[in-house]
Amino acid sequence: MTDEVLESCLERLQRKLGLTEPDEDELLLLQDELEDAEREVLTYLGCDTLESRFLSQVLNLAALYYQKDMADCGGEKAYSYSEGQVSESITCLTEADYRSGVAEILESLARYRVVPC
């Protein structure tokens, strides 16, 4: 990923995650997540360079990685709150939920895989 593409992806990832003013550590973590996601996609596809048409999958993977790394309970799957008789409920993502999320993103790329003969 070129520096220009990385910068653009960092901005898009921040918006996707709702991070308005990330500090330097968060920016470094986001960059790591993007690099890990890019490597995962390239490995899956069997390619050496990333085409721009696959950036959305890289962003989705990076967001998933970030949510997993930042979550106290493994990530929020669902959150609900009600006012009357104050009630709060948080359902956490499991490791299986993350694995299925990664698998779903990668499966969307299956038709582009380069399979050696």
Side-chain angles (χ1 to χ4, degrees):
M1 198 178 295
T2 65
D3 289 341
E4 183 179 299
V5 172
L6 178 62
E7 187 65 33
S8 171
C9 285
L10 275 172
E11 291 171 7
R12 289 177 60 190
L13 186 57
Q14 289 174 52
R15 284 192 303 273
K16 184 176 192 65
L17 294 168
L19 302 174
T20 54
E21 295 182 28
D23 62 23
E24 188 63 31
D25 288 339
E26 281 180 313
L27 286 174
L28 290 173
L29 179 59
L30 290 174
Q31 185 172 342
D32 290 345
E33 306 296 17
L34 280 169
E35 290 171 358
D36 290 347
E38 178 188 25
R39 193 171 18 262
E40 179 92 19
V41 168
L42 288 174
T43 300
Y44 181 80
L45 292 174
C47 299
D48 294 327
T49 57
L50 186 69
E51 295 179 35
S52 61
R53 62 184 168 160
F54 303 128
L55 287 178
S56 63
Q57 285 87 357
V58 169
L59 285 168
N60 288 336
L61 272 177
L64 192 60
Y65 294 162
Y66 179 82
Q67 291 167 341
K68 181 179 179 186
D69 287 344
M70 297 305 291
D72 291 334
C73 69
E76 287 184 12
K77 185 176 191 175
Y79 175 82
S80 63
Y81 173 81
S82 61
E83 282 288 321
Q85 300 290 323
V86 178
S87 174
E88 182 178 49
S89 173
I90 298 174
T91 305
C92 296
L93 291 170
T94 65
E95 189 64 34
D97 291 327
Y98 280 109
R99 281 195 305 272
S100 70
V102 169
E104 185 177 312
I105 292 167
L106 293 177
E107 284 174 19
S108 72
L109 299 168
R111 65 183 174 174
Y112 303 108
R113 288 184 86 180
V114 177
V115 181
C117 296

